[in-house]
């Protein structure tokens, strides 16, 4: 790993146990303590040390759950003391990264707050609690596991925070069942502001998603989200809560939050007591957002899998046409991948709300959205970024027109000539400069990789097939500068040719296709592969490769548009251990 320090936001879950059984809990049946050989402080201290040894520094450590207040007094204080000491010992390195020094912080349902109030006061712990608004619905949806009401006890516990100078705030999750009581919500916000020590300018609205509410609660539409937003502004603009409604209340949907990262897998991590690491509270206990285990995996592997899994989750649906044309894409980045996949959509579930916020808060529209779109696709999308190059007026024939006019070129770009098989999965290959999406696969030392090539391909554009060969090129994801033009390209690692006489003698399970195993080649060049970026495999024949370069020499228009390797390809990440499921 490079010596450059990587700063991350770390959520730590010291216990999965919870004292409540909220009707819309994202953890569902997982809110119970699991047996583990590791203590809650042991796991956190071990993880921090292991991260720092790899130049990864949490600039913020927050406690989440389960419910952290279900810990014993001794366990709770030991963790709070550790985090307080961590901030003090690492003050210089955190400030150097441009981050403020915080205090220990907990996310809590507030139900057992009294048990730990002495520790909270001693270490000036900041509090982020949860309530249901309107308060009249709180006891309907936020109950104990014995179905007992919780509101009175929670309001009593909030009063215990009055003498604590640090942050004490609450958030409320809005489903349609809550949305139907907007006037009541407004009155309850005023009540909490006037009658409690909560800082209601630091309040947060969250939008609920109903995939785990057992049909009891339902999400609100984008139009209803706008109604919520506008009603709150009508009620609170110009009041003592003006800074809240124009700030923190809806900040979760603004550009400063995790959902607006290019790749949140580079910045945000949730660590459980047993060492498991997930993306965040939304992805907790979800296999698609599981990054590994701090006791079993290296930090480098965890970081790599995090980036790759978030990339894949952003690409389960095609890029939205609305996002392609949106002047706010540079702020939104298409939203949270978890929620997009919950609703099988390809854009943010709060799109209209975000656009209204951007306008109201004075964020400028991107005057050149196509340029940002091109950059975003290059970094975070499977789509071929070349198809998103900002349009320029062309005064020469397109590549497709050139291919159509030259029958010899079609075999270079044929989509049916090559088939890659990885274990039991097959991938038809096409030219990288024509396909609309990029294809990625994951290879490990256990992978079985075979390339199948149509037998007839050796005869195309070749007078002497015995002299023709399957032509394989392997490129690293690492970039180097080539040639007088100083153009950055992927580092070329290997060219390998397999002639007809050899291919004829290798058994093939597919009629009409040659088969050739790539296992030994990949193993031989594995030390030179990029472990951070996607590597590239290209396939053609010797004769077709020669014809491609002849065409480049004779036709400047073709050369301009096929300057990058045009052959059938697939990109792959190499992982030196099995990808976590």
């Amino acid at each position: 790993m490079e010596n450059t320090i990587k700063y991350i936001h770390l959520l730590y879950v010291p216990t999965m146990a919870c004292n409540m059984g909220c009707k819309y809990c994202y953890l569902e049946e997982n809110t119970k303590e699991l047996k583990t050989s590791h203590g809650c402080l042991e796991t956190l201290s071990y993880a921090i040390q292991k991260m720092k040894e790899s130049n990864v520094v949490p600039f913020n450590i927050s406690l989440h759950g389960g419910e952290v207040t279900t810990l014993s007094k001794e366990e709770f204080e030991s963790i709070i003391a550790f985090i307080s000491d961590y901030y003090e010992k690492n003050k210089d390195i955190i400030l150097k990264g441009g981050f403020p020094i915080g205090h220990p912080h907990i996310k809590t349902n507030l139900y057992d707050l009294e048990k730990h109030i002495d520790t909270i006061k001693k270490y000036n712990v900041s509090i982020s609690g949860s309530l249901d608004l309107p308060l009249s619905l709180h006891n309907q949806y936020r109950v104990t596991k014995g179905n007992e009401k919780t509101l009175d006890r929670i309001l009593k516990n909030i009063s215990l925070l009055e003498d604590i100078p640090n942050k004490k705030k609450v958030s409320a999750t809005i489903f349609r069942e809550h949305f139907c009581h907007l006037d009541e919500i407004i009155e309850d916000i005023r009540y909490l502001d006037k009658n409690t020590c909560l800082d209601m300018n630091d309040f947060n609205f969250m939008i609920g998603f109903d995939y785990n509410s057992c049909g009891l609660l339902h999400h609100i539409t984008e139009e209803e989200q706008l109604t919520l937003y506008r009603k709150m502004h009508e009620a609170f603009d110009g009041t003592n809560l003006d800074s809240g409604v124009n700030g923190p209340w809806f900040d979760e949907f603004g550009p400063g939050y995790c959902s607006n990262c290019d790749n949140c897998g580079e910045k945000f991590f949730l660590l459980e007591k047993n060492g498991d690491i997930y993306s965040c509270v939304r992805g907790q206990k979800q296999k698609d957002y599981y990054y590994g285990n701090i006791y079993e995996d290296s930090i480098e592997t965890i970081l790599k899998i995090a980036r790759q899994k978030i990339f894949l989750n952003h690409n389960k649906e095609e890029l939205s046409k609305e996002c392609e044309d949106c002047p706010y894409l540079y702020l939104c980045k298409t939203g949270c991948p978890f929620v997009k996949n919950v609703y099988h959509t390809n854009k943010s579930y709060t799109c209209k709300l975000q656009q209204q916020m951007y306008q109201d808060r004075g964020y400028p529209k991107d005057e050149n959205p196509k340029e940002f779109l091109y950059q975003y696709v290059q970094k975070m999308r499977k789509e071929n970024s070349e198809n998103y190059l900002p349009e320029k007026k062309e005064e020469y024939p397109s590549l497709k027109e050139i291919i159509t006019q030259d029958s010899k070129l079609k075999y270079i770009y044929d989509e049916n000539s090559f088939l890659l098989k990885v274990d039991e999965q097959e991938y038809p290959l096409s030219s990288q400069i024509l396909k609309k999406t990029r294809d990625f696969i994951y290879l490990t030392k256990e992978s079985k990789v075979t390339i199948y090539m149509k037998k007839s391909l050796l005869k195309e554009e070749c007078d002497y097939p015995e002299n023709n060969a399957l032509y394989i090129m392997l490129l690293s994801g690492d970039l180097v500068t080539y040639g007088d033009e100083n153009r950055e390209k992927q580092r070329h690692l290997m060219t390998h040719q397999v002639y007809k006489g050899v291919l004829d003698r290798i058994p093939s399970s597919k009629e009409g296709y040659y088969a050739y195993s790539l296992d030994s080649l990949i193993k031989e060049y594995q030390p030179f592969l990029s472990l951070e970026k996607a590597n590239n495999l290209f396939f053609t024949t010797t004769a077709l490769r020669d014809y491609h370069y002849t065409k480049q020499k004779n036709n400047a228009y073709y050369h301009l548009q096929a300057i990058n390797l045009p052959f059938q390809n697939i990109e792959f990440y190499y992982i030196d251990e099995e990808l976590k499921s």
Side-chain angles (χ1 to χ4, degrees):
M1 187 173 181
E2 296 179 358
N3 291 327
T4 304
I5 294 173
K6 180 178 183 64
Y7 294 92
I8 67 167
H9 187 292
L10 181 65
L11 289 173
Y12 180 51
V13 179
T15 178
M16 289 300 300
C18 188
N19 45 21
M20 288 174 60
C22 301
K23 303 301 184 183
Y24 50 85
C25 179
Y26 60 90
L27 288 173
E28 299 176 303
E29 75 281 357
N30 289 301
T31 56
K32 55 187 178 183
E33 190 54 86
L34 301 177
K35 290 184 179 180
T36 173
S37 59
H38 308 294
C40 53
L41 179 57
E42 174 193 354
T43 296
L44 180 59
S45 59
Y46 175 83
I48 295 296
Q49 182 61 33
K50 188 170 181 177
M51 289 175 181
K52 290 188 69 177
E53 289 171 357
S54 294
N55 293 313
V56 175
V57 175
F59 67 86
N60 183 285
I61 304 172
S62 299
L63 296 182
H64 217 284
E67 170 55 42
V68 297
T69 61
T70 61
L71 293 170
S72 69
K73 290 183 178 181
E74 294 75 18
E75 287 177 313
F76 183 81
E77 182 166 5
S78 68
I79 294 178
I80 295 297
F82 174 86
I83 296 173
S84 181
D85 187 56
Y86 171 84
Y87 284 138
E88 183 61 31
K89 288 182 177 178
N90 294 277
K91 180 187 299 184
D92 291 341
I93 195 170
I94 293 173
L95 290 173
K96 184 179 179 181
F99 302 99
I101 302 299
H103 292 271
H105 178 77
I106 64 171
K107 178 69 176 177
T108 173
N109 59 31
L110 302 166
Y111 190 72
D112 271 338
L113 201 65
E114 183 178 10
K115 181 170 67 172
H116 301 295
I117 195 66
D118 291 339
T119 297
I120 290 169
K121 289 181 176 180
K122 179 179 178 180
Y123 292 95
N124 198 12
V125 177
S126 65
I127 305 293
S128 179
S130 301
L131 286 172
D132 259 21
L133 294 180
L135 295 175
S136 62
L137 293 185
H138 182 99
N139 284 332
Q140 186 172 340
Y141 300 120
R142 296 184 67 81
V143 296
T144 67
K145 287 184 174 174
N147 209 36
E148 298 170 337
K149 298 177 180 180
T150 63
L151 180 59
D152 288 345
R153 179 167 168 172
I154 286 173
L155 290 176
K156 180 181 177 182
N157 284 340
I158 287 173
S159 67
L160 301 175
L161 300 173
E162 189 166 358
D163 298 329
I164 298 172
N166 213 341
K167 179 183 295 186
K168 35 187 180 278
K169 59 177 289 188
V170 290
S171 60
T173 302
I174 302 298
F175 290 88
R176 178 169 291 125
E177 286 70 15
H178 305 95
F179 171 81
C180 293
H181 302 272
L182 289 185
D183 290 338
E184 199 177 338
I185 288 175
I186 289 169
E187 290 307 311
D188 283 343
I189 290 174
R190 289 174 176 152
Y191 170 83
L192 292 170
D193 178 55
K194 182 179 180 180
N195 297 286
T196 73
C197 63
L198 294 171
D199 180 1
M200 292 307 291
N201 271 306
D202 200 20
F203 170 72
N204 286 111
F205 277 115
M206 295 184 289
I207 307 297
F209 13 99
D210 51 17
Y211 75 100
N212 61 348
S213 63
C214 304
L216 296 174
L217 295 154
H218 304 85
H219 70 273
I220 59 176
T221 66
E222 288 196 59
E223 291 299 333
E224 289 168 334
Q225 294 168 19
L226 277 176
T227 299
L228 166 69
Y229 174 82
R230 289 167 177 160
K231 287 279 286 186
M232 293 303 124
H233 276 278
E234 289 172 9
F236 295 104
D237 278 348
T239 71
N240 66 308
L241 296 178
D242 181 273
S243 63
V245 73
N246 287 283
W249 289 17
F250 294 96
D251 270 357
E252 181 172 332
F253 317 109
Y257 263 60
C258 56
S259 57
N260 302 106
C261 296
D262 283 344
N263 188 321
C264 59
E266 297 178 340
K267 297 181 181 180
F268 297 90
F269 300 85
L270 180 144
L271 169 68
E272 292 185 347
K273 175 184 173 182
N274 65 357
D276 286 343
I277 295 182
Y278 294 89
S279 60
C280 60
V281 294
R282 290 178 175 176
Q284 194 176 0
K285 297 301 182 185
Q286 304 290 324
K287 67 176 184 178
D288 285 350
Y289 298 87
Y290 173 66
Y291 299 158
N293 186 284
I294 196 69
Y295 289 110
E296 299 172 4
D297 303 301
S298 69
I299 297 298
E300 290 75 15
T301 296
I302 290 168
L303 296 178
K304 178 171 57 181
I305 291 175
R307 288 192 300 271
Q308 293 167 357
K309 285 202 168 183
I310 293 301
F311 179 91
L312 288 174
N313 280 298
H314 267 296
N315 283 275
K316 286 188 176 181
E317 303 285 342
E318 291 184 359
L319 182 62
S320 166
K321 294 297 181 184
E322 292 181 53
C323 295
E324 290 182 19
D325 299 323
C326 181
Y328 293 120
L329 178 64
Y330 79 101
L331 296 172
C332 170
K333 317 290 178 62
T334 75
C336 172
F338 176 81
V339 186
K340 285 192 296 186
N341 292 332
V342 164
Y343 291 128
H344 304 289
T345 184
N346 54 5
K347 67 185 184 74
S348 174
Y349 73 117
T350 55
C351 177
K352 291 182 179 179
L353 172 59
Q354 289 173 255
Q355 290 188 5
Q356 186 65 56
M357 280 181 57
Y358 298 149
Q359 293 178 41
D360 292 348
R361 298 189 180 190
Y363 290 105
K365 292 184 177 181
D366 191 345
E367 296 181 357
N368 190 12
K370 295 299 183 184
E371 180 62 34
F372 180 82
L373 173 64
Y374 173 65
Q375 296 170 6
Y376 178 72
V377 171
Q378 279 187 310
K379 182 173 183 179
M380 283 301 298
R381 299 297 308 180
K382 284 186 176 181
E383 287 85 0
N384 185 353
S385 61
E386 299 299 313
N387 293 329
Y388 292 87
L389 276 169
E391 290 185 6
K392 296 179 182 178
K393 185 177 180 180
E394 305 292 0
E395 299 178 354
Y396 48 80
S398 69
L399 178 59
K400 289 184 178 180
E401 290 175 329
I402 294 173
I403 295 171
T404 301
Q405 295 167 5
D406 185 342
S407 60
K408 297 179 181 180
L409 284 177
K410 69 178 182 180
Y411 298 106
I412 295 174
Y413 298 92
D414 181 54
E415 296 183 351
N416 301 304
S417 294
F418 290 94
L419 184 71
L420 191 74
K421 185 175 182 181
V422 180
D423 299 321
E424 299 304 316
Q425 183 70 39
E426 295 182 350
Y427 303 90
L429 304 185
S430 55
S431 168
Q432 70 158 354
I433 64 174
L434 288 185
K435 58 189 174 186
K436 295 181 179 179
T437 62
R438 297 167 68 191
D439 301 314
F440 293 93
I441 57 175
Y442 292 87
L443 302 182
T444 71
K445 60 184 178 182
E446 307 297 332
S447 299
K448 300 298 181 184
V449 186
T450 301
I451 183 68
Y452 291 92
M453 180 183 72
K454 273 188 176 179
K455 291 183 176 181
S456 59
L457 203 62
L458 289 183
K459 300 177 183 178
E460 307 300 343
E461 303 314 314
C462 180
D463 295 331
Y464 304 101
E466 285 293 334
N467 294 338
N468 205 356
L470 165 63
Y471 197 97
I472 306 167
M473 289 163 281
L474 175 63
L475 281 66
S476 164
D478 299 322
L479 301 179
V480 292
T481 302
Y482 280 102
D484 291 341
E485 61 208 4
N486 291 321
R487 187 160 60 99
E488 278 198 336
K489 298 194 295 184
Q490 289 184 303
R491 185 186 296 275
H492 200 120
L493 298 183
M494 175 274 293
T495 293
H496 188 74
Q497 298 180 74
V498 189
Y499 284 85
K500 182 177 182 298
V502 175
L503 293 171
D504 283 337
R505 299 177 64 180
I506 298 175
S508 174
S509 61
K510 291 188 176 295
E511 187 176 351
Y513 283 84
Y514 289 119
Y516 186 74
S517 172
L518 302 178
D519 296 347
S520 59
L521 282 176
I522 293 172
K523 182 178 180 180
E524 180 179 355
Y525 287 92
Q526 179 272 321
F528 309 103
L529 295 172
S530 173
L531 297 179
E532 298 293 328
K533 300 176 183 178
N535 304 282
N536 225 325
L537 271 169
F538 290 89
F539 304 93
T540 188
T541 68
T542 306
L544 290 174
R545 177 185 178 276
D546 291 345
Y547 187 78
H548 161 70
Y549 286 108
T550 298
K551 186 70 175 183
Q552 275 195 337
K553 181 179 179 181
N554 294 334
N555 189 314
Y557 298 145
Y558 178 75
H559 187 106
L560 284 171
Q561 297 177 81
I563 191 169
N564 293 319
L565 292 176
F567 311 116
Q568 292 88 334
N569 84 305
I570 198 158
E571 295 179 83
F572 70 94
Y573 289 95
Y574 186 87
I575 299 174
D576 48 15
E577 56 186 270
E578 290 299 324
L579 187 65
K580 302 296 180 182
S581 61

